[in-house]
Coordinates of all heavy atoms in Angstrom, one line a residue:
V252 N -18.5 -5.3 -16.6 CA -18.7 -4.1 -15.8 C -20.1 -3.9 -15.5 O -20.9 -3.7 -16.5 CB -18.1 -2.8 -16.5 CG1 -18.3 -1.6 -15.6 CG2 -16.7 -3.0 -16.9
T253 N -20.6 -3.8 -14.2 CA -21.9 -3.5 -13.9 C -22.1 -2.0 -13.8 O -21.1 -1.3 -13.5 CB -22.4 -4.2 -12.6 OG1 -21.7 -3.6 -11.5 CG2 -22.2 -5.7 -12.6
G254 N -23.3 -1.6 -14.1 CA -23.6 -0.1 -14.0 C -22.7 0.6 -15.1 O -22.2 1.7 -14.9
A255 N -22.6 -0.1 -16.3 CA -21.7 0.4 -17.3 C -22.1 1.7 -17.9 O -21.3 2.4 -18.5 CB -21.6 -0.6 -18.4
N256 N -23.3 2.2 -17.7 CA -23.7 3.4 -18.3 C -23.4 4.6 -17.4 O -23.6 5.8 -17.8 CB -25.2 3.4 -18.6 CG -25.6 2.4 -19.7 OD1 -24.7 1.8 -20.3 ND2 -26.9 2.1 -19.8
G257 N -23.0 4.4 -16.2 CA -22.8 5.4 -15.2 C -21.4 6.1 -15.3 O -20.6 5.8 -16.2
G258 N -21.2 7.1 -14.5 CA -19.9 7.9 -14.7 C -18.7 7.0 -14.5 O -17.8 7.1 -15.4
L259 N -18.6 6.2 -13.5 CA -17.4 5.3 -13.3 C -17.5 4.1 -14.3 O -16.5 3.7 -14.8 CB -17.3 4.8 -11.9 CG -16.0 4.7 -11.3 CD1 -15.2 5.9 -11.3 CD2 -16.1 4.2 -9.8
G260 N -18.7 3.7 -14.5 CA -18.9 2.5 -15.4 C -18.4 2.7 -16.8 O -17.7 1.9 -17.4
R261 N -18.7 3.9 -17.4 CA -18.2 4.2 -18.7 C -16.7 4.2 -18.8 O -16.1 3.7 -19.8 CB -18.8 5.6 -19.2 CG -20.2 5.6 -19.6 CD -20.7 7.0 -19.7 NE -22.1 7.0 -19.9 CZ -22.7 7.4 -21.1 NH1 -22.0 7.8 -22.1 NH2 -24.0 7.4 -21.2
E262 N -16.1 4.7 -17.7 CA -14.7 4.8 -17.7 C -14.1 3.4 -17.5 O -13.0 3.1 -18.1 CB -14.3 5.7 -16.5 CG -12.9 6.2 -16.5 CD -12.5 7.0 -17.7 OE1 -13.3 7.9 -18.1 OE2 -11.3 6.9 -18.1
V264 N -15.3 0.7 -18.7 CA -15.4 0.1 -20.1 C -14.3 0.6 -21.0 O -13.6 -0.1 -21.6 CB -16.8 0.4 -20.7 CG1 -16.9 -0.1 -22.2 CG2 -17.9 -0.3 -19.9
A277 N -20.7 -4.8 -21.2 CA -21.2 -3.5 -20.6 C -22.6 -3.9 -20.0 O -23.6 -3.8 -20.7 CB -21.2 -2.4 -21.6
A278 N -22.6 -4.2 -18.8 CA -23.9 -4.7 -18.1 C -24.6 -3.5 -17.5 O -24.0 -2.7 -16.8 CB -23.6 -5.7 -17.0
A279 N -25.9 -3.3 -17.9 CA -26.6 -2.2 -17.5 C -28.1 -2.5 -17.5 O -28.6 -3.4 -18.1 CB -26.4 -1.0 -18.4
R280 N -28.9 -1.7 -16.8 CA -30.3 -1.8 -16.8 C -31.0 -1.5 -18.1 O -31.9 -2.2 -18.5 CB -31.0 -0.9 -15.7 CG -30.6 -1.3 -14.3 CD -31.5 -0.5 -13.3 NE -31.0 0.8 -13.2 CZ -31.3 1.6 -12.1 NH1 -32.2 1.2 -11.2 NH2 -30.9 2.8 -12.0
S281 N -30.4 -0.5 -18.8 CA -30.9 -0.2 -20.1 C -29.7 -0.1 -21.1 O -28.7 0.4 -20.7 CB -31.7 1.1 -20.1 OG -30.9 2.1 -19.6
S282 N -29.9 -0.7 -22.3 CA -28.8 -0.8 -23.2 C -28.6 0.5 -24.0 O -29.6 1.2 -24.3 CB -28.9 -2.0 -24.1 OG -30.0 -1.8 -24.8
R283 N -27.4 0.8 -24.2 CA -27.0 1.9 -25.1 C -26.0 1.4 -26.2 O -25.5 0.2 -26.0 CB -26.4 3.1 -24.3 CG -25.2 2.7 -23.4 CD -24.2 3.8 -23.1 NE -23.5 4.1 -24.2 CZ -22.3 4.7 -24.2 NH1 -21.7 5.0 -23.0 NH2 -21.6 5.0 -25.3
S284 N -25.8 2.2 -27.2 CA -24.9 1.7 -28.2 C -23.4 2.1 -27.9 O -23.2 3.1 -27.3 CB -25.2 2.1 -29.6 OG -25.3 3.5 -29.6
W285 N -22.5 1.2 -28.2 CA -21.1 1.5 -28.0 C -20.4 1.4 -29.3 O -20.8 0.7 -30.2 CB -20.5 0.3 -27.1 CG -21.1 0.3 -25.7 CD1 -22.3 -0.3 -25.3 CD2 -20.7 1.0 -24.5 NE1 -22.6 -0.1 -24.0 CE2 -21.6 0.7 -23.5 CE3 -19.6 1.8 -24.2 CZ2 -21.4 1.2 -22.2 CZ3 -19.4 2.3 -23.0 CH2 -20.3 2.0 -21.9
A292 N -23.2 -5.2 -25.1 CA -24.1 -4.6 -24.2 C -25.0 -5.8 -23.6 O -25.4 -6.7 -24.3 CB -25.0 -3.6 -24.8
N319 N -19.6 -2.6 -10.0 CA -19.5 -1.1 -10.0 C -20.8 -0.5 -9.6 O -20.9 0.5 -9.0 CB -19.0 -0.6 -11.3 CG -19.2 0.9 -11.5 OD1 -18.6 1.7 -10.9 ND2 -20.1 1.2 -12.4
P420 N -22.2 11.6 -12.0 CA -23.6 12.0 -11.7 C -24.0 11.7 -10.3 O -24.7 12.5 -9.7 CB -24.4 11.2 -12.7 CG -23.4 11.0 -13.9 CD -22.1 10.8 -13.3

Side-chain angles (χ1 to χ4, degrees):
V252 179
T253 67
N256 296 349
L259 215 56
R261 285 170 187 247
E262 195 63 38
V264 171
R280 290 191 283 197
S281 54
S282 61
R283 51 156 289 206
S284 58
W285 297 86
N319 165 70

